[in-house]
Amino acid sequence: DTDQLKDLTNELASLNKIAELKEKRRIANERLETHKMNLVKTYLHEELCIYMKEEELSMLIENVCRFTLEKGFSPIPVVTDCRLSTLDLRHLVWNIGKRLSWNGNQCSVFLKTCFPIEMKVILLTKFACSRQWRKTFCVHFITLGLQTYP
């Protein structure tokens, strides 16, 4: 009986250690995600402050946060001063998506939904990184369709 009790006690202690390790890992992952989000917010402020009003920039940052955290969230369109090209915006969104683990489709949806005025010509764009260019972070933009507007 004493040996069985010791075995059960040891097993329970092991399970508690595993639970503690899992909790520490969860906390570390949360901190990492928070840090990444803060870096993205800083990046957006530094890159877009001259192209957007503060209210629009705040809405964009909220869109990024909610798009990352809430499944099915549809970003609210924001307005720039129209000096940014579609290539500028693609690069910006790809940089954000790369840090926040968005896939190419998520980048495309975010881009088209957040910046509809700038992206009005493109029907659907998919971001893809070819294997040979991954080390240099070169992005290939594959345009699947174009639609012209009057």
Side-chain angles (χ1 to χ4, degrees):
D1 281 343
T2 306
D3 288 340
Q4 284 180 335
L5 186 58
K6 282 183 181 178
D7 288 344
L8 286 174
T9 304
N10 288 339
E11 189 174 326
L12 185 59
S14 293
L15 289 174
N16 284 338
K17 282 194 182 224
I18 291 171
E20 284 177 29
L21 290 173
K22 284 183 179 180
E23 181 63 14
K24 285 181 182 178
R25 176 97 177 196
R26 185 190 65 75
I27 290 169
N29 284 341
E30 260 182 29
R31 285 183 182 151
L32 178 62
E33 292 303 313
T34 300
H35 180 67
K36 286 195 293 187
M37 189 62 74
N38 287 335
L39 289 175
V40 167
K41 289 176 185 180
T42 301
Y43 170 71
L44 286 171
H45 265 286
E46 289 176 359
E47 294 297 315
L48 296 178
C49 66
I50 62 173
Y51 300 106
M52 300 176 82
K53 292 180 181 175
E54 187 61 36
E55 305 85 40
E56 296 293 327
L57 187 53
S58 294
M59 179 58 68
L60 178 63
I61 290 170
E62 183 179 336
N63 282 341
V64 168
C65 294
R66 292 185 66 189
F67 190 77
T68 301
L69 300 174
E70 299 175 23
K71 187 174 182 175
F73 173 74
S74 184
I76 298 166
V78 295
V79 178
T80 68
D81 66 2
C82 294
R83 289 188 293 158
L84 294 168
S85 69
T86 58
L87 186 59
D88 295 331
L89 292 171
R90 288 176 185 185
H91 181 77
L92 178 90
V93 172
W94 182 81
N95 277 337
I96 295 167
K98 183 75 174 166
R99 274 78 188 159
L100 299 177
S101 304
W102 295 354
N103 63 33
N105 189 52
Q106 288 171 304
C107 289
S108 180
V109 166
F110 186 86
L111 180 64
K112 289 194 57 60
T113 311
C114 251
F115 301 100
I117 295 169
E118 291 83 355
M119 303 305 292
K120 67 182 176 185
V121 174
I122 298 175
L123 178 62
L124 180 63
T125 302
K126 186 172 182 169
F127 294 68
C129 239
S130 71
R131 288 186 179 178
Q132 64 189 10
W133 294 100
R134 281 184 198 252
K135 290 182 182 175
T136 59
F137 300 102
C138 187
V139 178
H140 297 274
F141 300 107
I142 303 167
T143 302
L144 299 177
L146 293 176
Q147 181 175 348
T148 57
Y149 291 84

